Amino acid sequence: MFTTAPLFAGLPGGMELAVILLIAVLLFGANKIPKLARSTGQAMGEFQKGRQELEQEIDEMKDPDNADTEASSVDADADTTSKNE
């Protein structure tokens, strides 16, 4: 009886991406697009980092015996990352 139409028919193709890019350039200006892309990438990286930390905490809650070994490896990774920056 009732049919629902999908909100998105699929991934946008070449013409759709060109229109989106044109609108972005008109809204933000050509000079601000790289800065916007960079800040979006940094935000995505922070989000993924937070998600991984949350998943580790959930895993630790599920299996507290394994948490000690994972926590020490995470601390070692954090030390290495902070030294590289």
Side-chain angles (χ1 to χ4, degrees):
M1 272 189 192
F2 295 105
T3 59
T4 58
L7 293 176
F8 300 103
L11 295 175
M15 189 61 181
E16 289 88 0
L17 289 175
V19 170
I20 292 170
L21 181 63
L22 177 66
I23 292 171
V25 168
L26 290 174
L27 287 176
F28 299 109
N31 295 335
K32 292 187 180 180
I33 297 288
K35 293 177 187 176
L36 181 65
R38 187 178 307 116
S39 65
T40 302
Q42 289 174 347
M44 288 176 60
E46 289 294 321
F47 176 77
Q48 289 176 351
K49 181 181 173 183
R51 188 196 68 197
Q52 288 174 347
E53 290 174 0
L54 182 63
E55 288 175 352
Q56 287 176 353
E57 289 180 20
I58 291 172
D59 289 341
E60 289 173 6
M61 294 172 107
K62 288 180 183 177
D63 189 14
D65 296 334
N66 195 17
D68 294 334
T69 57
E70 289 180 7
S72 63
S73 67
V74 170
D75 291 339
D77 290 342
D79 291 340
T80 305
T81 304
S82 63
K83 290 177 184 176
N84 290 337
E85 292 175 357

